[in-house]
Amino acid sequence: MTGLALSEKIMIGTALLGGMSGVIGSFAVLRGRSLVGDMLAHAALPGVCLAFLLLGTRNLLGLSLGALATGLLAVAAVTGIVRWTRTKEDAAIGIVLSTFFGAGVVLLSVIQKPGVGGNKAGLNGYLFGEPGNMLTGDLYLLAGVAFVVLMTVALFFKEFQLVCFDTDFAQSQGWPTLLLDLAIMAALALVTIVGLPIVGVILMAAMIILPAATARFWTNRLHVMLLLAGGFGIAAGLLGTQLGRNYPAGASIVLTGAAIFLFSLLFAPQRGMVSRLMTEFRLRRRIAREHLLRSLYELGESQLPELAELHLEQIVADRYWKPRTLERLLDIAVDSNWIKRTDQTIQLTPVGLRHAAELTKTHRLWELYLMQHADIAADHVDRDADEVEHLLPESLLLQLQQQLADEGRLPLIISEVPKSPHEIGTDNT
Amino acid sequence: MGTTAFEIHDMTVAYHRRPVLWDIDLQIPEGKLVGIVGPNGAGKTTLIKAALGLVPLASGKVEIYGQSYNQQRQIVGYVPQRESVDWDFPVTVRDVVLMGTYGQLGWFRRPGRVEREIADRCLQQVDMAPLANRQIRQLSGGQQQRVFLARALAQAARLYFLDEPFAGVDAATETAIVELLHTLRSTGKTVLVVHHDLQTVREYFDYVILLNMRLIACGPVESTFTQENLQKTYGGRLTLLDEAAEAMRIRESQ
């Protein structure tokens, strides 16, 4: 690896970091511990400074051990505060995080004074991240940590999944839930700390949270989520360092990750906002269409089986339509061949009548049911039925119909399918 | 009276030194459907959690078929309260049921074909087979409860603890659960159920544990689920025990 150019080292390093923080971040996010990564990162700063003061060099392994020491101290502090005082966890994390970070900034300024310590180049990089400082040895450390973390996740996938989903159940089966939890947190701590020199103390939390939160939009399976989160992390690392060559690397990596997140939030199937708005929009349009058809049926009901010729004003008056909405709905209905429209009149077609009759039947079934079983007054039932009937599955409607028929409130519906004109089961091709 | 499936000796449980269960002593014979009944805060859930080793005992011991829980956990099944987990977790219905087999699988081994068959069979028992590949968020409350029951069935246990399985489920699920309980009993399993609805105790259970921080009574429904015992369980809310616990809590928080 000694032959690698700096830019190649940066690419490999950020990709490694992105991949492993995506994977382990998924567990942290699902366990509701995403802020622990943030706290570890901030609390690592005083450790880095102390290690530098002690060792006098900028050796990644040494500084990382320092970071790990104060990081763990911070975790212990939060646990203690929550356990022994009445401070809530989020407040405790906030307090510890900022206290340790404050101490780190003070130590950093001490180190900056002339005559203190050795070569301090790059120590500032821990604040905002500076992958340009990456040495070949650092790359080995990153690769080593990535290997350990990914192997741990691969080995304990089933156990981690169980403990994240249902700790009590896991414990009742005899799994050492505390140890498993600690293993996840330890892996998280490792990843956080080796990531500090690349994206920096302040932005490291985003590396943990963003790829995982992004992946959640695209899948409902945990193993797929881990793979996707790893992929998004790698993509953020590579693209971020490429696109943001003239800007601080940590920031451009995180912004790239945020861009992927934003895209997913908007455009992911099912969970994305666009898809959800579309679903909502389609539902509303269907409901409006159904209202129109039922309205047409009821206005012309007295003249059945003749198809009544209705006037626009009649229809508007029946449901207080907004003229524009109604015009659009009528256009759709004409296109679907449900109504015939002349300058003066609107008339259901036989196809439209069939649809409208079906919808009206559903509505009335519900009205009957609500009046009888939910004690809803007759003058309210129309609206209450409206709110549910459009969302009912077919099976429930059949059940409803059956129940009302059994109670004698509805003539039993006998299938109107005519007898088959040929023998059933014979091959007539 | 046959084999004793579950036994508690002089058990006291405390949260932060505040006792929630005082000196419980009871025995449940094998093959019974047992309702655990008592007012809110009576320690019903705590009783189950203590039996499963999820909360530490201040004193006393729990025995399952004569041995400690740690030795017997392979024959115990558990259905926690439905609200205790995140139903937006990225797993499918089958994934959750498979978790019931993890205890038998042990470290590192992944569920395979055999386990998937077990899971599908258990899903069938609760009428959920067609939904095996659904994400768990897309389930109704009753369906979620059925998934949890299927997971417990996959544990292939002899003794089951169910924490409020009837809470917030539809009528069809309630019927399905009762049927399932009967099936379990007919195969010799023992089932303890935290239950809230006094109306249905006689109908659903043949044994009852009446609890209000201390054990009021434990025995067959006919002889134990009496007006007098219910009075003792639900009446006189501020018992001496309650006051003592409250005093300790206030002193702790000062």
Side-chain angles (χ1 to χ4, degrees):
Chain A
M1 271 205 254
T2 39
L4 291 175
L6 180 62
S7 66
E8 288 166 331
K9 277 193 273 190
I10 293 177
M11 274 176 62
I12 297 174
T14 49
L16 278 171
L17 176 68
M20 62 182 160
S21 41
V23 172
I24 199 67
S26 298
F27 284 111
V29 166
L30 289 174
R31 192 85 182 87
R33 296 280 167 77
S34 35
L35 283 179
V36 173
D38 198 20
M39 185 188 64
L40 275 169
H42 281 78
L45 189 61
V48 169
C49 296
L50 285 174
F52 178 77
L53 285 173
L54 281 174
L55 300 171
T57 62
R58 199 190 65 82
N59 168 294
L60 182 61
L61 188 62
L63 298 190
S64 296
L65 287 176
L68 190 62
T70 48
L72 290 181
L73 194 65
V75 172
V78 168
T79 316
I81 289 174
V82 173
R83 180 90 172 73
W84 302 115
T85 74
R86 254 172 296 162
T87 314
K88 298 267 188 297
E89 191 178 23
D90 57 338
I93 287 181
I95 293 164
V96 172
L97 175 155
S98 40
T99 309
F100 275 67
F101 185 64
V105 171
V106 168
L107 282 171
L108 208 55
S109 73
V110 170
I111 292 171
Q112 298 304 326
K113 291 213 173 83
V116 183
N119 174 17
K120 37 197 127 161
L123 209 57
N124 263 335
Y126 270 81
L127 270 184
F128 298 111
E130 188 44 77
N133 292 334
M134 205 179 303
L135 307 171
T136 309
D138 301 352
L139 215 49
Y140 283 125
L141 183 67
L142 275 170
V145 171
F147 180 76
V148 170
V149 167
L150 295 181
M151 281 310 286
T152 310
V153 169
L155 275 176
F156 295 99
F157 176 78
K158 162 175 122 257
E159 288 78 6
F160 285 174
Q161 180 192 45
L162 183 61
V163 92
C164 287
F165 176 64
D166 194 344
T167 317
D168 270 359
F169 185 78
Q171 203 181 333
S172 83
Q173 278 189 336
W175 299 102
T177 50
L178 190 66
L179 273 179
L180 287 167
D181 237 348
L182 278 177
I184 296 175
M185 288 304 125
L188 184 66
L190 271 182
V191 171
T192 305
I193 280 156
V194 295
L196 292 182
I198 299 174
V199 289
V201 165
I202 300 173
L203 296 176
M204 188 56 213
M207 284 305 284
I208 301 283
I209 301 169
L210 273 176
T214 308
R216 188 65 189 88
F217 279 107
W218 296 92
T219 178
N220 282 327
R221 301 300 299 275
L222 182 59
H223 57 271
V224 183
M225 179 177 164
L226 293 182
L227 292 175
L228 282 177
F232 288 137
I234 292 172
L238 290 179
L239 282 174
T241 41
Q242 288 302 310
L243 296 176
R245 261 182 233 156
N246 303 318
Y247 304 99
S252 40
I253 293 173
V254 168
L255 286 178
T256 311
I260 303 176
F261 174 79
L262 191 66
F263 177 83
S264 307
L265 175 129
L266 289 174
F267 301 112
Q270 282 180 46
R271 293 177 82 98
M273 285 180 67
V274 170
S275 143
R276 278 160 57 181
L277 284 175
M278 284 294 284
T279 313
E280 176 72 27
F281 172 73
R282 275 198 216 104
L283 177 68
R284 275 197 210 181
R285 209 173 53 180
R286 182 165 67 90
I287 290 175
R289 219 163 49 209
E290 293 183 1
H291 281 159
L292 176 67
L293 280 176
R294 181 155 61 83
S295 190
L296 293 176
Y297 181 90
E298 287 178 339
L299 286 171
E301 194 172 12
S302 55
Q303 296 176 40
L304 284 173
E306 292 293 308
L307 293 168
E309 294 195 339
L310 302 165
H311 296 279
L312 194 63
E313 305 83 62
Q314 265 180 294
I315 300 168
V316 172
D318 187 45
R319 281 199 84 98
Y320 309 105
W321 295 99
K322 279 188 224 140
R324 261 189 38 210
T325 322
L326 182 60
E327 280 304 326
R328 214 177 52 233
L329 283 170
L330 288 171
D331 286 346
I332 296 172
V334 170
D335 288 346
S336 315
N337 198 23
W338 288 337
I339 57 170
K340 272 204 305 262
R341 190 169 182 191
T342 64
D343 285 345
Q344 297 297 315
T345 62
I346 290 158
Q347 189 184 27
L348 279 169
T349 63
V351 178
L353 177 70
R354 206 173 136 157
H355 268 289
E358 195 62 35
L359 291 168
T360 311
K361 189 173 93 185
T362 307
H363 178 73
R364 292 184 183 168
L365 281 173
W366 260 104
E367 286 185 325
L368 277 172
Y369 181 78
L370 289 176
M371 279 170 72
Q372 193 165 23
H373 293 275
D375 280 332
I376 292 175
D379 52 342
H380 274 105
V381 77
D382 188 23
R383 211 184 48 214
D384 288 331
D386 244 15
E387 280 167 16
V388 279
E389 67 190 41
H390 305 282
L391 305 169
L392 294 174
E394 198 91 5
S395 58
L396 202 70
L397 284 173
L398 287 174
Q399 226 178 311
L400 186 63
Q401 194 170 331
Q402 188 63 48
Q403 189 176 341
L404 289 168
D406 288 349
E407 289 165 3
R409 312 218 10 141
L410 205 74
L412 198 62
I413 290 108
I414 303 160
S415 161
E416 285 164 15
V417 182
K419 202 170 173 296
S420 170
H422 59 84
E423 266 184 75
I424 304 286
T426 50
D427 194 354
N428 47 9
T429 47
Chain B
M1 190 160 83
T3 331
T4 299
F6 177 60
E7 194 169 0
I8 296 179
H9 290 290
D10 302 328
M11 180 182 79
T12 296
V13 181
Y15 279 126
H16 301 290
R17 272 182 289 159
R18 178 192 173 194
V20 254
L21 285 174
W22 301 72
D23 201 21
I24 307 288
D25 214 43
L26 57 83
Q27 285 189 351
I28 304 293
E30 187 177 42
K32 300 286 179 199
L33 296 183
V34 187
I36 303 175
V37 177
N40 285 329
K44 303 184 293 290
T45 296
T46 308
L47 183 85
I48 286 190
K49 288 195 169 182
L52 295 165
L54 299 179
V55 295
L57 310 186
S59 67
K61 66 174 176 178
V62 173
E63 281 185 349
I64 289 150
Y65 285 99
Q67 282 173 300
S68 77
Y69 178 73
N70 277 342
Q71 284 162 304
Q72 298 284 47
R73 70 166 79 91
Q74 299 285 1
I75 60 163
V76 178
Y78 175 39
V79 177
Q81 287 185 17
R82 193 156 50 83
E83 299 81 39
S84 65
V85 303
D86 168 19
W87 287 96
D88 196 25
F89 202 83
V91 284
T92 62
V93 166
R94 187 186 284 113
D95 290 336
V96 174
V97 179
L98 278 172
M99 290 176 190
T101 67
Y102 285 8
Q104 250 110 40
L105 276 174
W107 290 99
F108 309 125
R109 277 181 55 209
R110 298 287 167 80
R113 203 166 51 85
V114 180
E115 283 73 27
R116 273 198 297 281
E117 275 165 16
I118 295 176
D120 287 346
R121 210 173 49 235
C122 296
L123 277 171
Q124 248 159 30
Q125 271 184 274
V126 294
D127 284 336
M128 288 278 290
L131 303 184
N133 292 315
R134 278 263 177 106
Q135 204 267 325
I136 54 173
R137 194 172 64 126
Q138 306 161 328
L139 300 176
S140 70
Q143 289 168 335
Q144 291 175 350
Q145 193 64 59
R146 288 169 193 232
V147 174
F148 262 14
L149 282 166
R151 181 177 69 171
L153 290 175
Q155 290 184 282
R158 291 169 70 188
L159 174 64
Y160 286 94
F161 293 94
L162 278 50
D163 201 346
E164 300 206 25
F166 296 109
V169 304
D170 51 293
T173 300
E174 178 145 354
T175 319
I177 297 175
V178 172
E179 269 172 36
L180 186 68
L181 291 180
H182 289 160
T183 317
L184 287 171
R185 178 175 57 186
S186 67
T187 51
K189 321 278 191 196
T190 313
V191 189
L192 282 83
V193 183
V194 171
H195 194 56
H196 257 302
D197 182 12
L198 294 179
Q199 310 290 330
T200 48
V201 169
R202 272 175 200 287
E203 195 185 327
Y204 292 171
F205 302 108
D206 33 37
Y207 226 74
V208 69
I209 296 172
L210 290 168
L211 202 67
N212 191 353
M213 299 184 73
R214 65 203 189 284
L215 183 70
I216 308 293
C218 170
V221 169
E222 312 86 65
S223 58
T224 314
F225 196 66
T226 59
Q227 198 58 44
E228 194 196 343
N229 279 336
L230 279 174
Q231 206 103 53
K232 275 198 236 165
T233 314
Y234 285 86
R237 293 301 300 272
L238 269 184
T239 57
L240 203 60
L241 289 182
D242 243 340
E243 281 178 34
E246 192 61 14
M248 287 175 90
R249 188 184 68 80
I250 290 168
R251 215 187 54 195
E252 284 282 302
S253 59
Q254 269 167 359

